[in-house]
Amino acid sequence: MVGGQDSTATVLNRLRRAQWQLAGVTSMIEQGRDCKDILTQLAAVSRALDRAGFKIVAAGTRECISGAAADGGAPMTEAELEKLFLGLA
């Protein structure tokens, strides 16, 4: 598990989307499509993979951060952690 069923489902959906997009890029290259279109789709694949990776990191880090709540602070949500990691990318 990545960090719960919801997180796992989200990561799997993002990876499947990236896989589908990558197949589309391969097909575009085989068809001799315009370079701009290919690069646009390749960038989308890269973003999908990055988001899946950050989701995994965010879910894994969540438990460490939520331990800070024991010290009086409010625990961060996965969405907040993911946003922070994406801001670093």
Side-chain angles (χ1 to χ4, degrees):
M1 285 275 180
V2 170
Q5 283 185 323
D6 290 340
S7 293
T8 300
T10 299
V11 168
L12 288 173
N13 286 337
R14 288 178 179 168
L15 291 174
R16 287 183 185 114
R17 185 178 311 126
Q19 186 177 24
W20 177 79
Q21 289 172 319
L22 186 56
V25 170
T26 302
S27 178
M28 291 171 76
I29 292 170
E30 291 171 345
Q31 295 169 7
R33 298 275 301 270
D34 183 58
C35 182
K36 180 181 175 185
D37 294 337
I38 293 169
L39 291 176
T40 298
Q41 288 304 311
L42 197 55
V45 172
S46 180
R47 283 190 306 272
L49 291 174
D50 287 345
R51 290 186 63 82
F54 284 125
K55 184 69 171 180
I56 291 168
V57 171
T61 307
R62 182 174 177 234
E63 291 182 29
C64 293
I65 300 297
S66 65
D71 297 332
M76 296 179 76
T77 66
E78 275 186 44
E80 290 170 324
L81 284 170
E82 183 179 7
K83 184 177 179 178
L84 290 173
F85 284 113
L86 288 172
L88 295 173

